[in-house]
């Protein structure tokens, strides 16, 4: 079976694997708490969890939102939201099944104090999303989101000792080449959403970038292996089946030290709708 990293989210296997990962490992919950803290939610009345998936970010928002606030978790995946409804019950939380680009069709204009989006902007039409966010935000409202380092072209300055063994990515490449004759392309792929591009898209939509930061998150090899077992993230990309990719991952993990730590980089952006707009 094959899964596409853009369209495979509305799949029960992917949704269950993702939900299991978020419960077992801190990556998404930690980044969700960071974004929610940057959104300034203490006086917010309406907050949107954009591309909210199974509700990990909504949970972080609810922990900081006032008791009378409304949180709207919007996502296009029925499978992801089905799990979220099962795992997260709060009278302040409303689920909306729709693409991020259609946000303004489901939320009244100038009604939202903050929009938070964790790890998902890269797979949207960013220009359309920025325009929709600007439309629903109140003047002074915030749009807080992050982009993975590879997509943003950033690296956190923290350095760590070299791992005791080759990384999972290197081992996966070696095993794939040995068993299937598939060698990764040598040419480097330019980052899809570097800060100048993001800034231009937000500015064109009528939003001001007020803060940016490159953050780093420590990730063990065991956590990365679990992340790579989620169907939409399984490597190598391409024509191999999920079962073949999992066999490669299992062999690579067996040759790795599960406690080795690397730093995962993220570009965090805070934008606002100007007060006079």
């Amino acid at each position: 079976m094959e899964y596409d990293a853009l369209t495979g989210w509305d799949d029960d296997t992917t949704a269950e694997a993702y939900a299991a990962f978020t419960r077992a490992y801190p990556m998404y919950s930690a980044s969700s708490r960071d974004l929610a803290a940057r959104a300034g939610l203490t006086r917010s009345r309406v907050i949107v969890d954009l591309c909210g998936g199974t509700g990990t970010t909504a949970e972080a928002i609810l922990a900081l939102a006032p008791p009378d606030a409304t949180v709207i978790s919007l996502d296009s995946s029925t499978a992801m939201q089905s799990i979220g409804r099962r795992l997260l019950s709060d009278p302040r939380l409303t689920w909306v099944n729709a693409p991020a680009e259609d946000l303004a069709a489901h939320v009244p204009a100038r009604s939202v104090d903050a929009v938070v989006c964790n790890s998902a902007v890269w797979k949207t039409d960013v220009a359309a999303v920025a325009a929709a966010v600007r439309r629903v935000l109140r003047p002074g409202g915030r749009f807080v989101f992050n982009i993975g380092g590879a997509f943003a072209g950033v690296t956190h300055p923290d350095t760590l000792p070299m791992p005791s063994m080759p990384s999972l990515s290197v081992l996966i490449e070696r095993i794939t080449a040995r068993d299937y004759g598939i060698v990764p392309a040598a040419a480097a792929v330019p980052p899809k959403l570097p800060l100048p591009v993001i800034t231009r898209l937000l500015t064109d939509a009528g939003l001001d970038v007020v803060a940016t930061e490159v953050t780093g998150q420590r990730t063990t090899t065991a956590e990365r292996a679990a992340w790579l077992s989620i169907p939409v993230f399984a490597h190598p990309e391409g024509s191999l089946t999920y079962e073949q990719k999992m066999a490669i991952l299992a062999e690579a993990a067996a040759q790795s030290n599960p406690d080795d730590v690397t730093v995962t980089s993220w570009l965090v952006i805070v934008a606002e709708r100007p007060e006079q707009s």
Side-chain angles (χ1 to χ4, degrees):
M1 184 179 296
E2 294 183 46
Y3 295 87
D4 185 275
L6 292 177
T7 61
W9 287 104
D10 202 11
D11 172 270
D12 290 337
T13 303
T14 288
E16 292 288 355
Y18 175 85
F21 178 87
T22 59
R23 293 195 299 273
Y25 295 96
M27 184 174 78
Y28 286 109
S29 57
S31 54
S32 291
R33 288 193 298 270
D34 175 62
L35 295 177
R38 294 171 189 264
L41 304 178
T42 54
R43 297 183 180 179
S44 296
R45 290 173 288 167
V46 181
I47 306 128
V48 172
D49 170 22
L50 195 64
C51 303
T54 60
T56 301
T57 303
E59 188 171 12
I61 291 170
L62 288 164
L64 296 178
D68 60 347
T70 296
V71 178
I72 301 167
S73 187
L74 183 144
D75 197 279
S76 61
S77 169
T78 302
M80 297 282 279
Q81 286 198 331
S82 176
I83 293 174
R85 291 172 186 269
R86 189 179 76 221
L87 296 177
L88 188 58
S89 177
D90 191 302
R92 294 175 293 169
L93 180 59
T94 299
W95 300 88
V96 175
N97 185 235
E101 295 84 353
D102 293 349
L103 170 65
H106 299 273
V107 179
R110 301 168 70 96
S111 68
V112 173
D113 298 287
V115 176
V116 180
C117 184
N118 189 1
S119 311
V121 160
W122 69 271
K123 61 188 178 72
T124 70
D125 179 337
V126 180
V129 167
V133 168
R134 194 266 183 193
R135 180 174 175 81
V136 303
L137 282 178
R138 294 190 176 100
R142 286 192 163 187
F143 181 26
V144 184
F145 61 97
N146 57 10
I147 303 170
F151 292 106
V154 298
T155 302
H156 193 265
D158 275 0
T159 58
L160 294 170
M162 290 295 293
S164 60
M165 297 181 179
S167 70
L168 271 181
S169 296
V170 169
L171 290 168
I172 287 171
E173 289 179 0
R174 290 178 182 175
I175 295 166
T176 303
R178 182 197 69 197
D179 293 349
Y180 298 97
I182 299 174
V183 178
V189 178
K192 178 181 179 182
L193 292 171
L195 182 56
V197 171
I198 284 291
T199 300
R200 175 178 55 78
L201 292 171
L202 293 170
T203 300
D204 288 349
L207 297 169
D208 293 336
V209 175
V210 297
T212 66
E213 183 180 356
V214 177
T215 64
Q217 189 170 39
R218 290 175 175 245
T219 304
T220 65
T221 298
E223 182 175 3
R224 179 157 176 79
W227 185 78
L228 288 171
S229 71
I230 300 172
V232 293
F233 297 137
H235 277 55
E237 297 179 358
S239 60
L240 297 183
T241 67
Y242 177 67
E243 291 73 17
Q244 289 170 322
K245 293 176 183 181
M246 289 305 95
I248 293 170
L249 177 61
E251 182 176 348
Q255 297 177 27
S256 305
N257 182 349
D259 298 323
D260 277 345
V261 175
T262 57
V263 173
T264 301
S265 302
W266 298 86
L267 174 62
V268 179
I269 298 172
V270 180
E272 288 185 356
R273 176 170 176 166
E275 290 282 358
Q276 306 300 321
S277 69

